[in-house]
């Protein structure tokens, strides 16, 4: 009989978890492949898993063994399927936006009040306290809570019910707030609810402490070598990294025994780069293992170059962009204070759940008590329609990845507002092009923002959508509207943005030149010599209005001709077929 492998913090063997999840994915029609297996040092494994039909749907798993990494990747795949995270940044199309439910059967739609003056949020949305938390100055109109996935302003605000753990109250959170502020933080899938919820809360605390340590420039105490030696497998992985020439610091990030967090930091003598990896769990060994495996997830030893050196400017280190990068891939800057010889805290030899007899229910209970003791409420949404329990947990004031004021200044509902016009570019009249240009300017969207990301489109490789930026779109609109001052301004921006297609950039340089010449016909020979007949003809046609948007075809709200996006929506249908009343 084959031996089954159990690891701490999991309520089933790795073999059972893997076979069960693989069978359930196959039953739903998902064809998953494993690639990029890595085992750079002893007892540290990682794997990249992706959907064969749509490579936008992928996850990464990590663990102390090959089986553990495989189970981790599959679990993450289920959490993203169950919580709809694979589609978090994408438009679901007009048909899905009009269905009885767009996201889940339990969703509730809150109609927007009629009249420009009424911008108040619906009273039954969230709670009064949470409305004050997310909208402290009442500067965010209700229409900005329409989600980018549906963009259904006529239907209103789509919200999902979450259960407050302190009193079992049901609270409706807008999909817009979840996608803007929390992204993937607090999502998990597991063999049991307690296992998954403990994992989700552990990750929330991990990131909370990580952001605090980095943002405040704190110095953590070392974990003594004799403590690390209690866990020979982990010690071997650390020794392997040191043998490869990297400096490895193992730090207690519990902040005087308050939080179940460990930090493993790599110092790279090749380029002086630093990478701080955090791991959390009420059991010390699991937290330490997670910090180490996170450090090497998806990275071979030769891929550990390129991280930034420590910084001296604490304001820069604490800035929202740097903290966000630390969430995405931990490649942000760490302050020099972190490496001070005198730590800000004493080392605590903590363990908040007995390793031998501890249960995941105890892990979850302890984490809830820890977070609630800090004055935060915990809100949980459960998802089990795919046959694997998954959850999404929100802890307002603790688990936000992006700052609250992003709801006002960086809200992705802006994309929903302009999406219908952008997806119908070719059909817009000259006046409508001018109106869209004005709207983009009023929204103050960064010129370098990809248009596809703005409107929630998965662009096909090689298409104009793949590299079209807002600055170029504004230039195209100015050409169509005949606003030559705006065209000149746009051409200047394009000239400084090298990431755009080289042929189009050459056309804009030609347009800029033509607009500066009083009589372009008098310089035709030189213009042909500099730009070529094809570019010169295209530039002239764009100025004269004989060609618009480089011949771009409009996919419309049904996204016709967008092959990658259609594949993504097809996978959405597979996941939703499991929901009641689908």
């Amino acid at each position: 009989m084959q031996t089954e492998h159990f690891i701490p913090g999991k309520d089933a063997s790795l073999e059972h978890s893997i076979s069960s999840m693989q069978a359930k994915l196959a039953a739903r029609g998902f064809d998953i492949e494993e690639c990029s297996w890595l085992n750079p040092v002893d007892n540290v494994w990682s794997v990249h898993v992706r959907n064969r039909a749509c490579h936008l749907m992928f996850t990464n798993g990590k663990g102390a063994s090959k089986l553990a990494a495989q189970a981790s990747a599959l679990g993450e795949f289920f959490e993203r399927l169950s919580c709809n995270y694979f589609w978090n940044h994408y438009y679901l199309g007009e048909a899905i936006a009009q269905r009885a439910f767009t996201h889940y059967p339990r969703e509730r739609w809150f109609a927007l009040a009629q009249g420009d003056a009424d911008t108040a949020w619906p009273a039954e949305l969230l709670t009064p306290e949470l409305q004050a938390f997310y909208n402290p100055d009442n500067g965010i109109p209700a229409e900005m809570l329409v989600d980018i996935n549906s963009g259904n302003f006529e239907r209103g605000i789509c919200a999902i019910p979450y259960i407050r753990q302190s009193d079992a109250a049901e609270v409706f959170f807008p999909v817009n707030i979840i996608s803007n502020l929390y992204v993937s933080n607090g999502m998990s899938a597991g063999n049991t609810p307690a296992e998954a919820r403990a994992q989700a809360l552990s990750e929330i605390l991990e990131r909370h402490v990580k952001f605090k340590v980095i943002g405040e420039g704190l110095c953590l105490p070392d974990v003594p070598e004799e403590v690390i030696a209690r866990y020979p497998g982990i010690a071997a992985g650390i020794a392997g990294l040191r043998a490869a020439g990297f400096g490895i610091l193992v730090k207690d990030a519990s902040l005087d025994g308050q939080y179940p967090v460990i930090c493993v930091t790599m110092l790279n003598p090749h380029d002086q780069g630093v990478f701080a990896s955090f791991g959390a769990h009420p059991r010390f060994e699991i937290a330490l293992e997670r910090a180490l495996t996170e450090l090497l997830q998806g990275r071979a030893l030769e891929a550990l170059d390129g991280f930034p050196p420590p910084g001296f400017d604490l304001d820069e280190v604490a800035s929202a962009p740097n903290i966000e990068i630390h969430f995405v891939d931990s490649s942000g800057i760490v302050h020099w204070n972190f490496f001070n010889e005198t730590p800000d805290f004493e080392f605590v030899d903590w363990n908040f759940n007995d390793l031998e007899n501890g249960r995941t229910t105890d892990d979850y209970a302890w984490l809830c008590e820890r977070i609630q003791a800090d004055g935060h409420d915990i809100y949980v949404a459960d998802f089990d329609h795919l046959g694997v329990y998954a959850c999404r947990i929100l802890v307002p004031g603790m688990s936000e990845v992006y700052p609250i004021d992003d709801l006002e200044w960086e809200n992705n509902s802006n994309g929903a507002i302009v999406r219908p016009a952008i997806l119908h570019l070719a059909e817009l009249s000259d006046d409508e092009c001018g109106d869209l240009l004005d709207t983009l300017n009023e929204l103050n969207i960064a010129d370098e923002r990809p248009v596809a990301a703005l409107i929630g489109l998965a662009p096909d490789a090689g298409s104009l959508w793949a590299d079209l930026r807002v600055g170029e779109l504004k230039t195209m609109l100015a050409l169509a509207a005949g606003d030559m001052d705006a065209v000149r301004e746009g051409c200047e921006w394009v000239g400084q943005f090298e990431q755009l297609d080289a042929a189009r950039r050459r056309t804009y340089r030609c347009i800029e030149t033509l607009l500066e010449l009083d009589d372009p016909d008098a310089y035709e020979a030189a213009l042909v010599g500099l730009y070529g007949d094809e570019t010169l003809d295209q530039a002239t046609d764009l100025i004269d209005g004989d060609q618009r948007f480089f011949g771009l075809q409009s996919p419309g709200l049904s996204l016709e001709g967008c092959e990658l996006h259609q594949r993504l929506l097809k996978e959405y249908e597979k996941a939703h077929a499991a929901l009641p009343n689908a």
Side-chain angles (χ1 to χ4, degrees):
M1 182 175 178
Q2 185 178 0
T3 301
E4 290 191 317
H5 296 82
F6 292 83
I7 60 175
K10 300 299 179 183
D11 290 328
S13 70
L14 294 173
E15 289 84 355
H16 173 80
S17 299
I18 291 166
S19 62
S20 175
M21 287 188 285
Q22 287 176 332
K24 289 169 181 174
L25 285 171
R28 296 292 177 192
F30 294 103
D31 185 8
I32 305 302
E33 63 179 342
E34 299 165 0
C35 47
S36 302
W37 276 104
L38 291 171
N39 177 212
V41 295
D42 289 346
N43 307 312
V44 176
W45 288 80
S46 68
V47 62
H48 180 80
V49 167
R50 67 187 184 191
N51 188 338
R52 291 181 193 271
C54 182
H55 290 179
L56 290 174
M57 299 170 63
F58 66 87
T59 59
N60 297 292
K62 62 184 185 295
S65 69
K66 189 173 184 178
L67 287 174
Q70 187 179 18
S72 169
L74 290 170
E76 188 173 283
F77 203 92
F78 264 100
E79 78 181 37
R80 279 153 168 69
L81 277 181
S82 301
C83 298
N84 287 343
Y85 187 71
F86 282 131
W87 303 275
N88 187 70
H89 306 295
Y90 299 106
Y91 177 47
L92 296 174
E94 193 172 30
I96 293 177
Q98 297 289 349
R99 287 181 183 170
F101 65 88
T102 296
H103 300 274
Y104 299 104
R106 300 176 308 209
E107 72 192 23
R108 182 175 170 187
W109 292 80
F110 295 81
L112 296 171
Q114 300 300 312
D116 294 338
D118 195 343
T119 62
W121 294 13
E124 296 180 20
L125 194 66
L126 299 164
T127 66
E129 294 78 14
L130 285 171
Q131 287 203 18
F133 174 72
Y134 292 118
N135 191 19
D137 301 319
N138 292 317
I140 304 171
E143 69 173 5
M144 290 188 71
L145 297 183
V146 171
D147 63 291
I148 189 175
N149 314 106
S150 73
N152 197 332
F153 288 86
E154 292 183 1
R155 200 170 183 181
I157 302 165
C158 184
I160 308 296
Y162 279 70
I163 303 301
R164 188 166 57 205
Q165 296 304 286
S166 59
D167 60 1
E170 184 179 65
V171 178
F172 280 87
F173 280 78
V175 171
N176 176 284
I177 286 180
I178 298 168
S179 67
N180 269 295
L181 301 183
Y182 297 96
V183 285
S184 65
N185 199 19
M187 297 192 316
S188 184
N191 297 292
T192 64
E195 176 192 313
R197 290 181 177 192
Q199 167 74 9
L201 288 182
S202 292
E203 290 187 354
I204 285 171
L205 277 178
E206 169 198 316
R207 288 151 181 168
H208 172 67
V209 171
K210 177 180 182 176
F211 296 166
K212 180 178 177 66
V213 169
I214 292 171
E216 296 180 15
L218 300 178
C219 178
L220 302 174
D222 292 324
V223 175
E225 289 297 324
E226 59 267 25
V227 174
I228 299 172
R230 294 174 192 165
Y231 315 105
I234 300 172
I238 293 170
L241 281 168
R242 288 171 174 163
F246 298 101
I248 300 296
L249 307 177
V250 183
K251 301 283 188 177
D252 170 25
S254 69
L255 310 187
D256 279 336
Q258 296 185 80
Y259 303 103
V261 186
I262 294 291
C263 175
V264 176
T265 302
M266 178 209 70
L267 292 82
N268 191 336
H270 305 133
D271 61 2
Q272 292 70 58
V274 170
F275 179 14
S277 174
F278 289 72
H281 194 274
R283 311 184 208 190
F284 186 96
E285 177 183 6
I286 299 176
L288 178 57
E289 179 186 289
R290 286 180 178 172
L292 177 61
T293 54
E294 176 70 23
L295 177 70
L296 290 170
Q297 179 173 273
R299 298 182 180 94
L301 292 181
E302 57 271 19
L304 291 175
D305 291 340
F307 292 100
F312 293 98
D313 186 343
L314 188 56
D315 288 338
E316 180 186 10
V317 172
S319 68
N322 190 58
I323 295 299
E324 290 160 16
I325 292 171
H326 273 289
F327 172 80
V328 173
D329 61 9
S330 297
S331 65
I333 304 169
V334 175
H335 197 272
W336 266 106
N337 288 350
F338 184 84
F339 303 100
N340 197 304
E341 296 291 333
T342 304
D344 295 315
F345 308 92
E346 296 292 328
F347 167 72
V348 176
D349 195 357
W350 56 267
N351 196 21
F352 301 115
N353 195 355
D354 180 73
L355 196 59
E356 295 297 327
N357 302 310
R359 300 173 300 174
T360 55
T361 51
D362 298 328
D363 292 332
Y364 178 61
W366 185 90
L367 289 161
C368 286
E369 290 174 4
R370 172 63 270 177
I371 291 171
Q372 289 166 343
D374 278 355
H376 298 286
D377 279 316
I378 299 167
Y379 297 85
V380 178
D382 300 318
F383 306 100
D384 58 6
H385 54 283
L386 294 173
V388 173
Y389 174 83
C391 64
R392 196 169 198 167
I393 300 181
L394 310 177
V395 183
M398 177 178 279
S399 68
E400 292 82 19
V401 173
Y402 296 102
I404 296 296
D405 60 12
D406 270 15
L407 288 177
E408 183 169 3
W409 305 111
E410 298 289 340
N411 198 307
N412 61 26
S413 68
N414 287 341
I417 293 170
V418 297
R419 179 167 52 217
I422 292 175
L423 289 178
H424 288 96
L425 274 181
E427 289 82 46
L428 297 182
S429 68
D430 293 351
D431 287 343
E432 287 172 332
C433 288
D435 291 341
L436 178 55
L437 176 60
D438 291 341
T439 300
L440 289 170
N441 285 325
E442 290 166 6
L443 291 172
N444 199 29
I445 300 168
D447 284 341
E448 63 271 15
R449 181 91 179 267
V451 172
L454 174 68
I455 63 175
L457 172 69
D460 292 319
S463 69
L464 189 148
W465 295 108
D467 70 341
L468 179 63
R469 305 293 176 128
V470 169
E472 185 186 4
L473 174 60
K474 288 160 63 174
T475 310
M476 291 178 172
L477 290 166
L479 281 163
D483 185 343
M484 292 305 144
D485 288 337
V487 170
R488 289 185 176 89
E489 183 179 339
C491 288
E492 182 179 354
W493 179 84
V494 169
Q496 298 171 1
F497 195 81
E498 297 181 358
Q499 289 89 331
L500 296 181
D501 175 76
R504 296 206 310 276
R505 292 183 74 234
R506 185 167 58 251
T507 299
Y508 288 115
R509 287 198 299 272
C510 186
I511 289 171
E512 192 172 20
T513 301
L514 291 172
L515 293 180
E516 294 302 319
L517 295 172
D518 292 332
D519 182 9
D521 290 340
Y523 301 89
E524 184 173 358
L527 289 167
V528 170
L530 288 170
Y531 297 106
D533 283 316
E534 185 177 346
T535 297
L536 179 59
D537 289 345
Q538 185 173 52
T540 302
D541 287 346
L542 286 165
I543 292 172
D544 294 342
D546 295 330
Q547 183 187 125
R548 302 198 313 169
F549 309 112
F550 288 85
L552 179 71
Q553 298 297 308
S554 297
L557 292 178
S558 61
L559 302 165
E560 293 179 11
C562 299
E563 181 185 349
L564 178 59
H565 201 104
Q566 292 296 338
R567 293 205 304 269
L568 187 66
L569 295 182
K570 186 176 180 180
E571 300 305 294
Y572 189 78
E573 299 286 20
K574 291 179 185 178
H576 269 226
L579 287 164
N581 305 316

